[in-house]
Amino acid sequence: MTIKGETKLDFKVQPYIRVKDASIEKVGTKVIAKFKLQQTVMNNVRKIGLYAHPEPSVGEPMRVAMAEQEINGAIDPNKVYQLEIDLPSNSNVLKAGNQYFFRAGALIDAPESKFNYAKAVRVEL
């Protein structure tokens, strides 16, 4: 194949799940995430999680602390899910006075699926 000049290649993708209306904040001695989920396929939702790391690319594979919940079923798009990371229980990796990034994510039960995330939020502890 010979390509001359400007070439455009579009990849069309469909996220299997979306994390919507996410809010993450420090409340007392916990960091609390609240969010809704939107499935775009019939597959079950495998799990949801809240992840913490010093870098903004925080997520399931890159975290120092986490709170996860197995779902293993369909979800109600109107339900508000809530996950919490207890700060005293994680004081060995989440130090008071430092800033960390927190992100909520969800994983659909499909071959080779990856987490979809809300935006990372910076929180000072």
Side-chain angles (χ1 to χ4, degrees):
M1 175 187 332
T2 303
I3 298 175
K4 294 182 179 181
E6 187 175 316
T7 302
K8 181 178 179 181
L9 177 60
D10 290 328
F11 290 95
K12 304 281 186 197
V13 298
Q14 174 187 355
Y16 294 151
I17 191 166
R18 291 184 177 100
V19 180
K20 301 184 76 172
D21 304 328
S23 70
I24 299 174
E25 60 185 354
K26 182 178 179 268
V27 179
T29 61
K30 296 181 179 187
V31 173
I32 300 174
K34 295 180 182 179
F35 54 91
K36 293 180 180 179
L37 297 173
Q38 177 189 21
Q39 285 178 256
T40 65
V41 293
M42 296 302 296
N43 303 57
N44 287 335
V45 174
R46 188 180 307 167
K47 67 179 171 178
I48 57 176
L50 172 61
Y51 305 97
H53 194 272
E55 299 295 325
S57 52
V58 60
E60 192 276 332
M62 186 172 160
R63 62 191 164 41
V64 295
M66 70 174 185
E68 289 184 327
Q69 178 182 340
E70 295 287 328
I71 303 292
N72 294 317
I75 54 95
D76 175 354
N78 296 311
K79 179 179 178 176
V80 176
Y81 293 87
Q82 180 172 316
L83 293 171
E84 303 175 354
I85 292 179
D86 183 67
L87 298 173
S89 299
N90 290 282
S91 62
N92 59 327
V93 291
L94 299 174
K95 309 287 184 190
N98 291 346
Q99 293 183 357
Y100 295 91
F101 290 88
F102 293 82
R103 179 179 284 177
L107 181 65
I108 202 85
D109 191 6
E112 299 186 39
S113 64
K114 307 288 186 241
F115 268 86
N116 274 15
Y117 297 100
K119 290 185 177 183
V121 175
R122 183 173 54 199
V123 177
E124 185 168 338
L125 305 183

